[in-house]
């Protein structure tokens, strides 16, 4: 039997039959978020948390690739003296957002988010020394991922969208952001609806 191509929503990059755009309410932030999406993630129609995160944050953008060493836009962001840039990634020398704030007065805070599996995240950092050289930030949590149809490599692993929500809450705690609790409570709605949909298809 010939397989027919499903039409795609080019906003959330899911099939139109399971488009989640109606559940997305974009949040305004002072912090700029830059998502570095591995090409393999871009092709996953059952995932989409990177796209959801991008659509849910007004001050956010996505760049797809592995080696960002010579990426003009990325390097412009990093080399702009008005910016102070961080990479969200666990590391022994990372700033734990549960314990300390980030940012500097009179500079724009930029957080790079790597949207990929853990092995692919390491591949991006290895291939992109400009990203790997940035001060890393992390957080500790007791959350269990709601990504129930995807097996996580470790119990503490969260999806890109879940991790971003943890960061937003901690930025609020440090008074770097002033996001309404109601907006944070609704942040994961497209992700939760996506999981609900995928489980209903099994």
């Amino acid at each position: 039997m010939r397989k027919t191509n499903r039409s795609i929503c080019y906003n959330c990059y899911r099939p139109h039959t399971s488009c989640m755009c109606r559940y997305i309410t974009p949040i305004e932030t002072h912090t700029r978020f830059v998502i570095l999406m591995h090409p393999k993630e871009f092709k996953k129609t059952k995932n989409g948390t990177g796209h959801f995160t991008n659509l849910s944050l007004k001050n956010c953008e996505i760049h797809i690739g592995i080696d960002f060493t010579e990426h003009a836009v990325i390097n412009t962001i990093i080399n702009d003296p008005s910016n102070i840039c961080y990479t969200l990634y666990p590391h022994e020398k990372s700033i734990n957002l549960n314990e300390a704030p980030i940012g500097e007065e009179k500079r724009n805070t930029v957080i790079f988010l790597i949207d990929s599996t853990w092995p692919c995240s390491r591949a991006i950092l290895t291939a992109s020394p400009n990203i790997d050289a940035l001060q890393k930030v992390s957080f500790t949590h007791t959350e269990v991922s709601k990504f129930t149809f995807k097996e996580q490599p470790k119990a503490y692993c969260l999806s890109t969208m879940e991790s971003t929500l943890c960061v937003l809450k901690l930025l609020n705690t440090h008074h770097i952001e002033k996001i309404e609790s109601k907006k944070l409570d609704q942040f994961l709605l497209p992700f939760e609806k996506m999981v609900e949909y995928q489980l209903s298809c099994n």
Side-chain angles (χ1 to χ4, degrees):
M1 182 180 291
R2 185 177 178 181
K3 186 177 180 180
T4 57
N5 292 325
R6 293 180 294 176
S7 60
I8 299 294
C9 168
Y10 288 106
N11 192 46
C12 70
Y13 287 91
R14 287 186 58 81
H16 277 295
T17 52
S18 60
C19 171
M20 297 293 155
C21 290
R22 64 187 178 278
Y23 301 115
I24 296 171
T25 304
I27 291 176
E28 188 75 64
T29 61
H30 299 295
T31 306
R32 181 178 181 179
F33 292 89
V34 180
I35 299 173
L36 305 179
M37 180 181 285
H38 195 283
K40 289 183 179 179
E41 292 300 313
F42 184 80
K43 298 175 183 178
K44 291 180 181 178
T45 57
K46 288 186 178 181
N47 191 332
T49 66
H51 292 298
F52 291 161
T53 303
N54 180 46
L55 294 171
S56 298
L57 297 170
K58 292 183 179 180
N59 195 7
C60 186
E61 62 201 83
I62 283 182
H63 299 281
I64 300 165
I66 299 172
D67 184 353
F68 294 95
T69 309
E70 303 295 333
H71 196 289
V73 175
I74 298 300
N75 284 326
T76 297
I77 295 170
I78 293 173
N79 296 325
D80 187 339
S82 67
N83 292 333
I84 179 166
C85 300
Y86 304 89
T87 300
L88 181 65
Y89 194 82
H91 188 270
E92 59 183 10
K93 294 184 179 180
S94 66
I95 298 172
N96 189 321
L97 286 172
N98 297 72
E99 302 169 359
I102 56 173
E104 292 180 6
E105 193 174 353
K106 297 182 180 179
R107 296 181 74 187
N108 305 310
T109 300
V110 181
I111 300 179
F112 285 90
L113 307 173
I114 301 177
D115 184 49
S116 67
T117 61
W118 282 105
C120 288
S121 294
R122 288 192 290 271
I124 288 175
L125 290 176
T126 300
S128 310
N130 54 339
I131 301 299
D132 193 30
L134 298 176
Q135 171 68 63
K136 295 179 177 62
V137 295
S138 61
F139 57 86
T140 52
H141 67 93
T142 57
E143 304 286 332
V144 175
S145 178
K146 296 180 181 179
F147 220 153
T148 50
F149 65 86
K150 179 182 178 182
E151 185 177 351
Q152 300 291 357
K154 302 269 186 179
Y156 61 81
C157 292
L158 300 175
S159 68
T160 298
M161 196 169 202
E162 291 170 309
S163 295
T164 303
L165 178 59
C166 289
V167 170
L168 292 173
K169 288 179 177 179
L170 291 167
L171 293 178
N172 256 12
T173 299
H174 293 300
H175 306 293
I176 297 168
E177 298 291 346
K178 296 180 180 178
I179 305 168
E180 296 176 20
S181 297
K182 182 180 179 181
K183 292 182 178 179
L184 291 175
D185 291 341
Q186 296 177 339
F187 186 75
L188 289 182
L189 185 59
F191 169 72
E192 292 168 345
K193 290 294 184 180
M194 177 197 71
V195 171
E196 183 181 302
Y197 174 83
Q198 292 301 151
L199 290 175
S200 71
C201 293
N202 293 340

